[in-house]
Amino acid sequence: MGSLERKVFYPKKRLEESLSQVQGGNPILPMAAYSGTVARSFLRVYGSVASIHTLCLSRNVFQLNRTVPILVRQIQTSLTVWRKNLAATSQEKFTEEYIKKQIEEFNIGKRHLANMMGEDPETFTQEDIDRSITYLFPSGLFEKKARPLMKHPNEIFPKQRAVQWGEDGRPFHFLFYTGKQSYYELMHDVYGKVLMLEKYEERMRTKGLFSPDTKKISLVGSRWLMKEELEEMLVEVMSDHDYKRFLLLMERLLALPYSHMEEEFVQRFRKQLEVQSSKQVVPALQFDDRGVAFSSGEGRRKLATATVVVRDNGSGKVTINGINYLEYFVVLQDREQLMFPLQFLDRLGKHDLECHVTGGGRSGQAGALRLAISRALLSYVSESEVEAMRQAGLLTPDPRVKERKKPGLAKARKRFTWKKR
Amino acid sequence: MAAAACLKAFSRLNLPRLLSSRLSERYANGQLYSTAAVTQSLPSDTPAGSDTVLTEPLKHPDFFHLSELFSLKDLFEARIHLGHKKTCRHRLMEPYLFGCRLEQDIIDLDQTMELLQQALNFTAHVAYRGGVILFVSRRRQFCHLVECTAQDCGEYAHTRYWQGGLLTNAPIKYGPGVHLPDVIIFLSTLNNVFQQHVAIRDAAKMNIPTIGVVDSNCNPSLVTFPIPGNDDSPSAMDLYCKLFKMTINRAKDKRKQMNLLYDVKGSGS
């Protein structure tokens, strides 16, 4: 008996308090709490408290439109049996009516949420929904996808094919029996276009109107859709071999002389690449009220961030966070880093620098300032000098950061002493 | 066959039918389980109109007048009589061959005429009853033509790589409750490596009647309605596609006509 009591560490008083909070003043503390069989009864009571807690919470919780998989029974079964049960209960194929119902529920829920937040239900956008949900259900989870969410069912449920045949049993698509109807239809269409263009070319040749320098479709700045993107477009799975054959056929289409006639069709399968300009974006020189030119630059190095304003017609004065650079950077190496861009461009005594720097250490701040000064000086300098600066490495941000310490190692790379025995 | 003969006898004697109309359709089609064709007339009370619509074509040997679609001269001009070389000859094709000229086999067009007539008649009857027709061919140069033909008649085509189990494992390949084709038409019975197409064997396993253009190097044994003829020339393939397309369209139009004539209610097309 004594040993059992010692095991129980949940004090009776706190239990009473919590129970009174939950029940509103009627603690249902059983008399068994004072008896010998303490452990079991406490657990029973604690269990009931837990359930009451959840009950109370559930009444206030807003019904989320989330696909909650039906819970599995807690029975000892083998892994294969459990998987089979899960597959049987999970709704892998969502019927159209089910999705329609979900959409209706979502819309109603959206209006409720808007009312709850005191906003206009008519102009309640998805961003407002996200904001409201994060406010109502604050979650400390790191994984963003695990947090509560409320999105339109079309974004949650994967796009699925409806039933492929009508009431009479006849399939809708003429290539249904191939198994990959969308893909083969696409191949059929592309080949049809190839034949048509070949026939057109032949007609032009017979008439004598053929000219070898016809307009070509511009493929610069775009790429073919990737296999995954094509699968998404066709709502059908395809193999790598199929995808390769598709690309070959499209290349064949493009190789024909009159392929420009099918430009619109071809562009449907090409994606524009983001325009990556290799040219440095040089900010324009700004002028303050006195007419003195100035420009600003930002730089980062190893947890230090710096902003610099480089003024023209200066005498080489440098202020960092209001402090003179000789006092701020005691070490010569840091001051050298600061002056290097000016020295490289032979503008040592011509500019005034007003710098602000936070974070990092001595060397990091110096490096950040150097980058910021180089970027600011771009506005004053010609194209060839910009190229020279780039070659010198003044414009490249240094990506090196401190490597993390790993478990089992003393530091990032240092290993513990190895003892043979 | 016996059942069909019985049916004919009964109809002539005007005795009440012992077999239900549903069963008679099944035996007429040659299949014993649910097909797209049968589901059309499933309503329990079959009025006299729909009965006549379905049994009327069976009383005539050439209800759709398909013999006027082609002649021996057309077949000859489309080079259907040209077979492969003597060394490629299949033993079972010997009855269909007319002879051999300069080591090239010549197919007997008289037999081809008869067999083609039978095959077209059968397709017409299947199309008349709204059956699913699948065109199969594994010849790359005619793949587009066959698919276009199928599209034009409103039927189905498969001229691509044949995945195993498409017919024998249909519920898993396509989805539960799928209807298999009621007839498969092979415009070439061989695949790309000159072996017999897998679908011929699978269709025989699934009791699906097949019509096939068998060349002198093909095996005609499992094909229900073989059509001995050339399957390599573009002119021959054009002719076959044209004939099948015209038959199917004719049969479907005839069905619409008969429906209007006998004023069958609740039938779609």
Side-chain angles (χ1 to χ4, degrees):
Chain A
M1 290 304 146
S3 59
L4 274 170
E5 277 186 40
R6 242 177 274 134
K7 270 188 195 163
V8 170
F9 48 84
Y10 195 79
K12 187 189 87 177
K13 216 178 183 180
R14 270 185 28 212
L15 182 58
E16 266 184 84
E17 277 172 14
S18 61
L19 280 176
S20 59
Q21 269 177 341
V22 164
Q23 287 284 306
N26 308 335
I28 46 165
L29 201 59
M31 293 307 288
Y34 301 93
S35 72
T37 53
V38 169
R40 237 183 291 137
S41 56
F42 260 116
L43 286 172
R44 215 187 301 135
V45 166
Y46 190 68
S48 62
V49 164
S51 57
I52 289 163
H53 265 295
T54 49
L55 267 174
C56 277
L57 279 173
S58 62
R59 253 177 257 137
N60 294 330
V61 161
F62 179 70
Q63 201 73 22
L64 274 180
N65 286 313
R66 215 180 352 150
T67 52
V68 181
I70 299 164
L71 293 170
V72 190
R73 296 170 298 171
Q74 309 262 357
I75 300 177
Q76 289 280 9
T77 46
S78 70
L79 199 65
T80 34
V81 175
W82 176 76
R83 260 199 226 123
K84 249 196 274 179
N85 286 339
L86 201 64
T89 51
S90 69
Q91 297 161 304
E92 272 160 4
K93 300 253 166 161
F94 303 107
T95 53
E96 271 209 51
E97 320 145 15
Y98 177 79
I99 295 188
K100 263 189 221 159
K101 203 178 68 161
Q102 292 292 314
I103 294 175
E104 277 168 34
E105 282 182 18
F106 171 78
N107 287 328
I108 295 170
K110 198 168 84 161
R111 296 186 77 88
H112 277 306
L113 188 62
N115 284 329
M116 245 191 275
M117 300 298 290
E119 296 196 26
D120 183 21
E122 305 297 329
T123 57
F124 206 59
T125 61
Q126 185 59 47
E127 286 149 17
D128 295 326
I129 295 176
D130 293 333
R131 205 171 24 89
S132 322
I133 295 288
T134 40
Y135 171 71
L136 289 170
F137 302 99
S139 162
L141 296 172
F142 289 120
E143 177 66 57
K144 298 264 184 342
K145 289 183 200 170
R147 296 183 184 171
L149 75 98
M150 184 168 157
K151 287 214 186 301
H152 192 88
N154 282 343
E155 290 167 47
I156 299 176
F157 293 97
K159 263 198 280 188
Q160 267 177 359
R161 287 266 196 80
V163 179
Q164 302 292 319
W165 51 87
E167 280 171 8
D168 55 352
R170 290 181 69 96
F172 298 126
H173 203 276
F174 78 107
L175 291 175
F176 168 77
Y177 288 105
T178 56
K180 304 181 209 173
Q181 60 187 47
S182 314
Y183 168 73
Y184 284 131
E185 191 199 0
L186 178 63
M187 297 294 273
H188 173 80
D189 288 338
V190 179
Y191 190 70
K193 291 192 192 291
V194 167
L195 286 179
M196 201 192 72
L197 289 179
E198 282 175 355
K199 247 196 277 185
Y200 183 77
E201 187 193 332
E202 208 182 298
R203 259 191 293 152
M204 298 303 267
R205 274 189 200 269
T206 48
K207 282 188 201 167
L209 298 167
F210 178 76
S211 57
D213 52 337
T214 43
K215 198 173 78 167
K216 295 267 182 228
I217 304 176
S218 156
L219 299 172
V220 177
S222 61
R223 60 165 172 85
W224 289 117
L225 281 182
M226 290 204 296
K227 187 181 129 185
E228 288 78 21
E229 289 164 348
L230 194 61
E231 280 182 349
E232 201 193 351
M233 194 166 121
L234 299 175
V235 194
E236 193 171 70
V237 184
M238 67 169 75
S239 69
D240 291 333
H241 179 257
D242 292 337
Y243 176 66
K244 238 187 279 179
R245 292 303 284 260
F246 167 71
L247 288 185
L248 284 172
L249 193 56
M250 292 303 276
E251 293 291 335
R252 185 175 159 184
L253 178 69
L254 286 175
L256 294 172
Y258 290 99
S259 53
H260 64 88
M261 288 166 61
E262 299 295 339
E263 175 160 4
E264 192 216 309
F265 178 77
V266 169
Q267 291 292 359
R268 252 198 281 161
F269 301 101
R270 284 197 80 95
K271 199 165 173 179
Q272 299 297 325
L273 292 164
E274 293 95 39
V275 177
Q276 280 171 355
S277 56
S278 52
K279 284 230 166 119
Q280 197 91 20
V281 178
V282 176
L285 214 54
Q286 294 155 61
F287 292 88
D288 66 4
D289 19 320
R290 277 210 217 137
V292 178
F294 74 97
S295 80
S296 60
E298 286 174 359
R300 256 193 264 216
R301 168 106 217 270
K302 216 188 186 191
L303 294 181
T305 44
T307 44
V308 151
V309 176
V310 175
R311 277 175 231 279
D312 209 353
N313 301 340
S315 56
K317 234 174 24 168
V318 183
T319 334
I320 306 172
N321 291 350
I323 306 167
N324 192 18
Y325 74 115
L326 289 166
E327 290 157 22
Y328 194 86
F329 285 129
V330 181
V331 180
L332 177 69
Q333 178 198 330
D334 303 336
R335 291 201 294 271
E336 269 182 344
Q337 286 287 301
L338 214 55
M339 292 300 141
F340 178 41
L342 299 169
Q343 185 200 13
F344 186 80
L345 297 169
D346 285 327
R347 287 162 180 258
L348 271 172
K350 294 181 193 164
H351 292 287
D352 273 343
L353 303 173
E354 186 193 320
C355 324
H356 293 272
V357 67
T358 51
R362 188 200 81 211
S363 167
Q365 285 187 344
L369 277 169
R370 180 181 118 167
L371 184 60
I373 294 168
S374 320
R375 283 186 180 158
L377 284 172
L378 283 177
S379 335
Y380 292 93
V381 130
S382 65
E383 288 262 344
S384 56
E385 289 196 288
V386 168
E387 182 60 28
M389 280 176 84
R390 191 188 68 82
Q391 298 247 344
L394 277 167
L395 302 173
T396 324
D398 198 337
R400 299 178 290 175
V401 284
K402 189 164 176 174
E403 199 175 309
R404 69 158 273 196
K405 181 205 176 301
K406 287 121 194 169
L409 269 57
K411 292 162 63 186
R413 302 277 173 108
K414 178 180 177 181
R415 274 143 185 78
F416 292 118
T417 326
W418 178 73
K419 288 217 169 102
K420 199 155 183 168
R421 44 189 71 83
Chain B
M1 288 305 290
C6 284
L7 189 62
K8 258 192 167 169
F10 279 131
S11 60
R12 251 183 260 129
L13 295 173
N14 286 329
L15 281 175
R17 283 184 205 283
L18 295 180
L19 300 164
S20 75
S21 58
R22 243 179 282 154
L23 265 175
S24 69
E25 279 163 47
R26 284 197 201 180
Y27 279 108
N29 261 350
Q31 296 186 72
L32 294 173
Y33 54 86
S34 166
T35 59
V38 175
T39 6
Q40 256 196 330
S41 61
L42 267 181
S44 47
D45 50 328
T46 44
S50 76
D51 234 11
T52 335
V53 163
L54 292 169
T55 53
E56 187 61 34
L58 299 173
K59 296 175 187 165
H60 310 268
D62 192 10
F63 185 68
F64 304 97
H65 309 293
L66 299 166
S67 42
E68 64 193 37
L69 286 177
F70 60 97
S71 66
L72 205 139
K73 191 159 185 291
D74 293 334
L75 296 188
F76 184 82
E77 275 163 7
R79 307 178 200 185
I80 284 181
H81 58 289
L82 300 171
H84 287 274
K85 288 283 188 186
K86 192 160 110 177
T87 44
C88 299
R89 193 193 300 172
H90 197 284
R91 212 197 136 126
L92 294 170
M93 284 299 289
E94 278 164 19
Y96 299 117
L97 295 180
F98 184 73
C100 186
R101 169 80 179 252
L102 292 172
E103 289 186 17
Q104 186 178 12
D105 287 330
I106 308 294
I107 295 166
D108 189 1
L109 285 181
D110 294 320
Q111 291 186 57
T112 306
M113 286 282 286
E114 277 174 36
L115 292 167
L116 186 59
Q117 169 68 29
Q118 285 177 16
L120 288 177
N121 192 33
F122 180 73
T123 1
H125 280 275
V126 172
Y128 182 84
R129 286 152 182 277
V132 170
I133 300 174
L134 182 64
F135 287 88
V136 174
S137 166
R138 202 58 183 102
R139 301 214 56 134
R140 243 188 91 120
Q141 60 255 59
F142 307 120
C143 146
H144 188 79
L145 172 67
V146 171
E147 287 183 340
C148 288
T149 317
Q151 226 173 359
D152 292 335
C153 347
E155 297 296 338
Y156 308 88
H158 186 116
T159 56
R160 310 285 176 166
Y161 177 73
W162 183 274
Q163 289 177 322
L166 283 182
L167 293 178
T168 44
N169 201 12
I172 309 229
K173 284 285 182 182
Y174 299 119
V178 68
H179 280 267
L180 286 177
D182 296 304
V183 68
I184 301 185
I185 302 179
F186 289 90
L187 289 156
S188 165
T189 50
L190 298 180
N191 61 15
N192 282 355
V193 280
F194 301 104
Q195 289 167 343
Q196 196 187 38
H197 202 291
V198 173
I200 295 178
R201 189 202 67 195
D202 282 352
K205 280 191 187 176
M206 301 303 289
N207 289 342
I208 299 172
T210 38
I211 299 169
V213 173
V214 282
D215 206 347
S216 59
N217 57 351
C218 307
N219 183 357
S221 41
L222 278 179
V223 181
T224 332
F225 292 93
I227 304 169
N230 190 7
D231 60 5
D232 303 290
S233 307
S235 51
M237 290 302 275
D238 279 332
L239 181 73
Y240 292 130
C241 287
K242 188 185 78 158
L243 286 175
F244 280 112
K245 185 162 53 168
M246 283 166 75
T247 339
I248 292 169
N249 285 334
R250 213 179 249 213
K252 288 185 174 173
D253 293 334
K254 194 79 187 191
R255 178 60 188 255
K256 283 190 202 147
Q257 238 179 24
M258 295 287 273
N259 278 341
L260 289 169
L261 213 60
Y262 291 93
D263 207 21
V264 180
K265 61 166 185 201
S267 60
S269 53

